[in-house]
Amino acid sequence: AIQDVGGGLEDNSAASRDYLWSINPLDGTANFAAGDAGFCVSVGVLRNAIPVAGCVIEFIGGAPGEQGGWSTRTYTATRNGGAFLDGQRLRVSRTRQLIDAIVATGTVW
């Protein structure tokens, strides 16, 4: 497995294995700690150093203890199989020029 922070291998022998799993059980720790949405659980797997599958479960609303708990979105993808959001195929934008695109990040510390 790859460490959450630092990107190093926990076990150097893992680099020579057929499968390498990358698991981040809590991406967005600050948001989670504050009770805010915008955190997720991420899992990816490489086979012979080639990405083959991934899944991200994003927590987008609600809170533990509230009626119904957290709302989620689930992103999945497989090599040569496409990417999906809650089971619906995702499409690539038709925007050709960067100047016409919307590019943003929400990281504020």
Side-chain angles (χ1 to χ4, degrees), residues 28-48:
T29 307
N31 286 350
F32 176 80
D36 295 335
F39 62 92
C40 63
V41 175
S42 306
V43 178
V45 64
L46 288 80
R47 182 168 188 233
N48 298 319

Side-chain angles (χ1 to χ4, degrees), residues 23 36 40 43 81 84 90 95 105:
I23 302 169
D36 295 335
C40 63
V43 178
F84 297 83
L90 294 172
T95 302
T105 180

Side-chain angles (χ1 to χ4, degrees), residues 26-32 35-41 57-62 70-71 73:
L26 184 55
D27 188 3
T29 307
N31 286 350
F32 176 80
D36 295 335
F39 62 92
C40 63
V41 175
I57 300 173
E58 177 187 19
F59 293 81
I60 56 173
W70 287 100
S71 296
R73 289 190 282 224

